[in-house]
Amino acid sequence: MSTLQPENPSIERRIALQRVGRIDPESIDDYLAEEGFVALRQLLQSANPDSVIEAVTTAGVRGHGGAGFPTGRKWYFVAKADAPVKYVVCNADESEPGTLKDRLIMEGDPFSLIEAMIIAGFTVGATTGFIYLRGEYNLARHRLENAIRQAEAAGFLGRDILGSGIDFSLHLHSGAGAYICGEETALISSLEGYRGEPRSKPPYPTQSGLWGRPTLVNNVETLVRIPPILRHGAAWYRASGTAGSPGTQIVTLLGDVNWRGVVEVPFGISTRRLIDDVGQGVKGGALKLVQSGGSSGGIIPPEWLDLPLDFDSGRAGVVLGSGALLVCNAHRCVVDLTTVVMAFFRAESCGKCVPCRVGTVELHTLLQRLTEGRGTLRDLSLLETMGAMVKRTSFCGLGITAPNVLLDGLRHFRDEYIAHARDHRCPAAVCAMQDSAWGELPHLATVG
Amino acid sequence: MSTILLTIDDRKVHGESGETILSVARQHGIPIPTLCQLQGASTFGGCRLCLVEVEGIAHPVSACNTPIKAGQRVTTQSPALRADRQMVLELLFAERNHYCAVCVQNGDCELQSAAAQAGMDHVRCPYLSPSLPVDASHAQYVLDHNRCILCMRCVRVCAEVEGAHTWQMAGRGIEARLVADNGVPWGESTTCTSCGKCVHLCPTGALYRKGASVAEMQKKRGFLLRILEGRELGRTGEEPTDDFLVPTVEIRS
Amino acid sequence: MSGQKLRLATAWLGGCSGCHMSFLDLDERLVELAEVAELVYSPIADVKEFPEAVDITLVEGAVANVDHLELAQQIRERSRIVASFGDCAVTGNVTSLRNRIPVPDLLNQVYQGGPGAIPRQSPDDPIMPALLPTVLPLHQVIEVDAFVPGCPPDPDRIWAAVRALIFGEAAPHDPHLRTFG
Ligand SMILES: Cc1cc2nc3c(=O)[nH]c(=O)nc-3n(C[C@H](O)[C@H](O)[C@H](O)COP(=O)(O)O)c2cc1C
Ligand code: SF4
Ligand code: SF4
């Protein structure tokens, strides 16, 4: 993965990625030379945590972990919670397929995350923080461990930070490779040493999180936006983006484009501009669809390419989610894509609730039948009914979003599913349509 | 604690703040189907059978873990809920190998009864027919994974009431399995006290008494409340009831 | 249906015939049934070919082999209403206990490990119908209009279903009449 080099000011604006690729991520001196810890120093001097909440709220920062919850409000809830102990947790489990933004930040600018977490701790009244890191992120772990050590040695972490009387200690915890542990309550269960399974909300983590204490859970990208906002002001942050989604977002561009990588752009940019100006156009054929937001996101059909990408357009159907954009050209099969996505959820379901645990397996089984040329129209109708049911009834966001690609696919490309189910034909010529064990009984594939 | 007024199925009802929709509905005699719910143990929320509609919320919510709110309007029966509950049950029957006709629990099973009650008369999706073991290593009891619906009742009652912590869930998603002592045959468990609480609260024939044959297993579901209420008995002098967990329908034997 | 009798059929696929036994246990209600319906095909009637223009067919048993498959399809083409009759037709039930075992292993275990010879297993063998890879409930092979669960469904249950199908009475809502097993 790479970022655009050099920065292209007509499209990009780097806030979260400002130092990535420009400093030595293993050197605190490099970080200090680039405005590092300035926001923290100023804050500790002013000793005014409320000012942080005000700045974050005015800047209009929204969570980049996928849900877009207003960050200022979340910080306020934890800050005002009356409890002797509180925690700050950074969600660095980044497991959404095709999403590599947090990794780039942690590998390229680990100190910025540390600074942001100290600020968060000071603001909400927590003296302990945890980074829950995706298990596979070895380089990020190495860089973060190193950064924590250097920050401790330099007096930014530990007791009485910079003589302010404020304490904050930071712990790094590596996950064991479960997507569900990115869900905040499952993450908390996992941190506590329990099985990584989501818990009922309410109570929300802001009221009762880690070990029953008020807990602030934020995504890496959300957190690293805070120091620059404190430094330059909310108006500076709002200079780009839209009214409902101010500022910038990191997009991971993948698939059939000529340039793939990570780019930070103002909210509200259209998918078309990203593909044409950043991705340098579609590769290998005409554009068929863009899958946005990782496996849990949705499908952007060509008709929607000019819609702005922000949190609010989600209502029109453009799901931004984690910021991943997977571009598919005309040679890709939407049923094949749906099957691959469902295989992911089938493997990642935690197993707690029935609709997700069994539903994802049934949906995957039915989809496989379609790709193997032994599906029926009845299978298709069951897919649609069950997909909607799994979405409606699952316990947590994993099951709720698992059928998104299926349901969006049926919405925009129904004919292609029908071709697989009724005619046993793959219009994109991707699915092998092989007869399997049932091949000796071809009449079975046509009944129902 | 303050009293909260709300409406369930067009009836005005009341509960204390912090109570769930399920508990308030039950107190007012309004039935909501459940499988994983276990009075006397913590809430799990996994079976999704207790889904209800709450005005103003687009999707159904589970009654067992949704707190009541003042002015809330709850609907417990609707064609959409019926359809969702039926499909939850279809998924459970498709997941493992439930052959009611030859099951020890036939006629006294909460899964069987919930399906009949919900109007589920066939399973539309493919049966997964997994190959699953039966653990008969315990001297008195048997664990048949083919009939386990992963409701976690056994796990909770063992940890929270008996205090033995014998049962855990291992594996993820469709691979999730109930295990004793982190994965030893039940008979080799050093924590199991053989108290039988899990056996009698298991809703299906997944846990049963050794030697029971088809339709011979009768579960004593009332004992848990008797234990828990018994702690209060000295004070109240009331006889605890034995029917707190009657199957949702009485099944012919 | 005044004057002309309703054309009723019952069929027996992969099941133990218990559902048919239970059907016979309708006892005196069979007489009532005979007044309005004519049994045009059944394991208890000597008819070789499944006839055309059947009004209602009750199907016992799961679809386990190619013969079942063929008969099921014929039944669907020639019947106005098809009902899955008993648990094996509705769920696969005991007949489908073999589903987790691959067919060759199964045949080996039963016929090679024990006494007796391996049966011929070519699909065009006129005597031994080839087993399907997995046993299926009837509705996963053909459209089914009504379900009568039970192993076997007891006569009261059968009677309620038959009345609903023949006399158009509202289908019974009683959960007691709907349990599996
Ligand atoms: C199945 C699932 C997986 C998730 N994975 C992640 C993840 O990898 N990283 C993340 O930051 N948030 C993830 N989330 C969202 C978190 O639950 C939570 O909303 C987020 O960490 C809050 O941070 P934010 O407000 O900064 O976005 C996931 C949610 C679900 C339902
Ligand atoms: S939807 Fe249910 S099974 Fe799926 S991950 Fe969430 S709690 Fe687990
Ligand atoms: S063994 Fe019984 S009580 Fe335990 S999880 Fe399975 S179904 Fe529930």
Side-chain angles (χ1 to χ4, degrees):
Chain A
M1 265 309 132
S2 53
T3 54
L4 278 181
Q5 296 296 350
E7 181 174 345
N8 174 353
S10 74
I11 305 173
E12 291 189 80
R13 182 177 178 216
R14 294 192 189 174
I15 296 174
L17 293 179
Q18 55 175 325
R19 296 186 197 84
V20 172
R22 291 184 32 236
I23 64 165
D24 175 358
E26 307 206 355
S27 156
I28 196 169
D29 293 330
D30 263 32
Y31 183 67
L32 287 167
E34 291 275 344
E35 291 210 317
F37 291 115
V38 173
L40 175 68
R41 247 186 242 279
Q42 286 173 344
L43 179 65
L44 291 178
Q45 270 157 22
S46 80
N48 182 5
D50 293 346
S51 69
V52 179
I53 292 176
E54 199 188 308
V56 174
T57 307
T58 318
V61 179
R62 292 171 67 169
H64 286 259
F69 189 83
T71 306
R73 196 127 52 94
K74 201 186 262 185
W75 286 38
Y76 171 74
F77 287 147
V78 183
K80 75 162 192 201
D82 183 21
V85 176
K86 301 177 189 178
Y87 296 107
V88 172
V89 174
C90 170
N91 189 340
D93 194 45
E94 191 166 62
S95 314
E96 193 63 54
T99 308
L100 300 116
K101 62 194 184 66
D102 297 343
R103 170 179 173 182
L104 209 63
I105 295 169
M106 293 183 290
E107 288 179 359
D109 190 10
F111 292 99
S112 69
L113 180 58
I114 292 172
E115 178 175 3
M117 289 194 70
I118 305 167
I119 292 172
F122 174 64
T123 306
V124 302
T127 56
T128 310
F130 294 88
I131 300 174
Y132 191 98
L133 183 67
R134 175 172 175 166
E136 294 89 342
Y137 280 3
N138 289 324
L139 182 58
R141 181 171 59 243
H142 166 75
R143 297 241 159 109
L144 282 168
E145 275 168 358
N146 172 65
I148 290 172
R149 258 196 316 272
Q150 291 192 25
E152 279 168 353
F156 291 107
L157 279 175
R159 297 208 160 273
D160 190 19
I161 296 170
L162 304 177
S164 63
I166 303 293
D167 304 335
F168 192 76
S169 62
L170 192 53
H171 308 275
L172 189 61
H173 180 94
S174 280
Y179 172 70
I180 186 59
C181 289
E183 196 282 338
E184 54 188 4
T185 60
L187 184 155
I188 286 169
S189 300
S190 169
L191 258 186
E192 289 176 357
Y194 293 103
R195 182 176 162 83
E197 256 180 22
R199 299 175 175 177
S200 301
K201 293 193 267 191
Y204 291 92
T206 51
Q207 308 156 250
S208 172
L210 193 56
W211 292 297
R213 308 294 192 173
T215 303
L216 179 72
V217 184
N218 270 129
N219 172 256
V220 175
E221 184 187 346
T222 313
L223 285 167
V224 298
R225 293 175 178 279
I226 310 305
I229 288 173
L230 296 185
R231 183 85 186 95
H232 303 288
W236 166 84
Y237 188 71
R238 296 191 74 103
S240 49
T242 65
S245 309
T248 58
Q249 60 165 331
I250 305 180
V251 169
T252 314
L253 197 61
L254 312 137
D256 299 321
V257 276
N258 289 304
W259 182 88
R260 306 176 199 178
V262 177
V263 64
E264 186 171 0
V265 291
F267 274 112
I269 192 173
S270 70
T271 313
R272 189 186 304 282
R273 270 207 81 193
L274 278 167
I275 294 174
D276 291 348
D277 297 351
V278 179
Q280 295 161 29
V282 182
K283 194 170 68 176
L287 178 87
K288 176 166 185 169
L289 61 89
V290 179
Q291 199 220 316
S292 69
S295 292
S296 64
I299 287 179
I300 305 177
E303 309 89 83
W304 291 1
L305 282 188
D306 292 310
L307 288 179
L309 278 173
D310 57 26
F311 287 118
D312 305 305
S313 300
R315 273 182 251 126
V318 181
V319 180
L320 180 67
S322 68
L325 288 180
L326 175 68
V327 178
C328 297
N329 67 27
H331 302 298
R332 309 290 173 185
C333 167
V334 71
V335 182
D336 179 57
L337 174 73
T338 316
T339 312
V340 171
V341 166
M342 203 55 75
F344 171 75
F345 286 111
R346 169 191 177 134
E348 294 297 341
S349 166
C350 80
K352 170 167 182 156
C353 75
V354 179
C356 172
R357 180 180 77 232
V358 194
T360 52
V361 176
E362 290 286 356
L363 291 172
H364 182 246
T365 305
L366 292 166
L367 281 164
Q368 263 183 327
R369 283 192 188 174
L370 295 194
T371 61
E372 288 166 7
R374 49 190 187 91
T376 63
L377 283 177
R378 177 146 26 110
D379 289 343
L380 190 55
S381 118
L382 187 55
L383 271 168
E384 193 157 25
T385 312
M386 195 188 287
M389 176 270 183
V390 170
K391 182 167 187 59
R392 229 181 1 254
T393 61
S394 286
F395 185 92
C396 86
L398 192 151
I400 291 169
T401 56
N404 279 353
V405 171
L406 167 66
L407 296 173
D408 274 9
L410 282 166
R411 180 173 167 193
H412 302 300
F413 298 93
R414 183 172 292 272
D415 290 349
E416 211 169 315
Y417 289 84
I418 292 177
H420 283 76
R422 189 189 55 201
D423 312 330
H424 301 158
R425 188 174 61 81
C426 175
V430 170
C431 301
M433 295 296 178
Q434 276 165 352
D435 287 329
S436 64
W438 294 95
E440 310 132 39
L441 308 160
H443 41 316
L444 240 201
T446 57
V447 295
Chain B
M1 281 291 155
S2 62
T3 300
I4 287 179
L5 299 175
L6 65 154
T7 311
I8 303 183
D9 293 343
D10 295 324
R11 270 180 62 188
K12 296 224 177 325
V13 297
H14 59 87
E16 298 296 320
S17 67
E19 275 191 286
T20 62
I21 294 175
L22 180 66
S23 122
V24 172
R26 291 237 163 118
Q27 287 164 40
H28 288 82
I30 301 169
I32 297 176
T34 56
L35 270 177
C36 68
Q37 193 267 348
L38 179 57
Q39 204 175 336
S42 62
T43 300
F44 181 57
C47 79
R48 315 310 285 160
L49 215 56
C50 69
L51 293 169
V52 295
E53 289 161 2
V54 174
E55 201 175 84
I57 303 180
H59 52 88
V61 303
S62 38
C64 68
N65 63 351
T66 304
I68 52 167
K69 276 194 192 142
Q72 214 169 31
R73 299 185 68 85
V74 179
T75 306
T76 69
Q77 305 294 336
S78 75
L81 288 173
R82 190 179 160 89
D84 282 344
R85 288 176 187 152
Q86 280 183 7
M87 193 170 269
V88 164
L89 288 156
E90 287 177 51
L91 290 172
L92 279 175
F93 275 95
E95 182 182 16
R96 296 197 175 184
N97 302 302
H98 298 276
Y99 298 98
C100 300
V102 291
C103 176
V104 288
Q105 207 59 44
N106 189 4
D108 183 50
C109 169
E110 293 181 53
L111 177 64
Q112 185 186 34
S113 124
Q117 189 82 339
M120 188 211 101
D121 61 6
H122 71 293
V123 173
R124 284 165 288 175
C125 47
Y127 284 93
L128 300 178
S129 307
S131 200
L132 295 168
V134 177
D135 181 349
S137 59
H138 193 282
Q140 286 151 269
Y141 308 118
V142 181
L143 161 61
D144 185 347
H145 289 281
N146 293 286
R147 304 180 186 133
C148 171
I149 59 169
L150 302 175
C151 69
M152 300 282 281
R153 279 193 192 177
C154 54
V155 177
R156 286 175 285 158
V157 77
C158 182
E160 297 167 15
V161 181
E162 177 65 4
H165 297 269
T166 300
W167 295 118
Q168 297 85 27
M169 208 49 76
R172 192 156 77 193
I174 201 73
E175 309 285 334
R177 300 282 182 273
L178 181 66
V179 293
D181 287 6
N182 286 323
V184 303
W186 190 4
E188 289 168 28
S189 162
T190 52
T191 60
C192 175
T193 62
S194 302
C195 73
K197 289 187 176 63
C198 57
V199 173
H200 283 282
L201 292 169
C202 171
T204 72
L207 296 175
Y208 62 95
R209 195 174 20 78
K210 219 172 218 177
S213 179
V214 173
E216 282 183 359
M217 188 64 200
Q218 295 279 324
K219 297 214 165 159
K220 301 190 184 93
R221 299 187 172 81
F223 81 89
L224 179 58
L225 263 212
R226 212 159 36 238
I227 296 175
L228 297 173
E229 283 184 3
R231 290 178 189 161
E232 312 269 305
L233 204 60
R235 261 179 285 156
T236 64
E238 276 172 41
E239 271 301 314
T241 57
D242 200 14
D243 60 355
F244 80 103
L245 234 179
V246 280
T248 34
V249 303
E250 188 192 308
I251 300 169
R252 82 200 161 83
S253 46
Chain C
M1 78 186 91
S2 56
Q4 208 175 346
K5 278 192 179 177
L6 193 118
R7 289 166 62 77
L8 177 70
T10 74
W12 180 17
L13 308 182
C16 71
S17 93
C19 299
H20 274 90
M21 296 300 146
S22 199
F23 183 80
L24 292 176
D25 283 342
L26 284 173
D27 297 338
E28 71 280 3
R29 288 169 288 198
L30 284 172
V31 179
E32 202 179 318
L33 183 61
E35 281 164 15
V36 293
E38 179 192 356
L39 195 61
V40 296
Y41 180 89
S42 173
I44 55 170
D46 191 14
V47 182
K48 303 291 181 227
E49 179 82 1
F50 193 86
E52 299 282 347
V54 175
D55 289 304
I56 299 169
T57 306
L58 305 179
V59 182
E60 172 192 331
V63 181
N65 62 36
V66 287
D67 279 5
H68 297 153
L69 191 62
E70 205 180 309
L71 181 55
Q73 282 163 350
Q74 221 167 45
I75 288 170
R76 182 66 276 181
E77 279 160 22
R78 300 180 183 178
S79 316
R80 200 162 48 82
I81 295 173
V82 176
S84 282
F85 177 37
D87 271 3
C88 290
V90 177
T91 73
N93 201 26
V94 174
T95 312
S96 67
L97 271 165
R98 68 136 155 118
N99 276 3
R100 59 191 114 164
I101 306 165
V103 169
D105 295 0
L106 184 85
L107 294 173
N108 262 351
Q109 271 179 39
V110 175
Y111 294 101
Q112 207 169 33
I118 317 165
R120 284 163 293 167
Q121 264 301 308
S122 128
D124 29 65
D125 186 318
I127 301 163
M128 280 299 298
L131 296 184
L132 298 184
T134 56
V135 175
L136 296 171
L138 187 64
H139 66 271
Q140 291 187 4
V141 174
I142 59 169
E143 286 297 338
V144 170
D145 307 296
F147 298 87
V148 190
C151 182
D154 64 24
D156 289 346
R157 217 185 259 216
I158 298 174
W159 190 234
V162 164
R163 288 184 70 91
L165 292 172
I166 292 184
F167 305 112
E169 287 179 7
H173 283 301
D174 188 346
H176 289 80
L177 298 175
R178 222 189 276 124
T179 48
F180 296 125

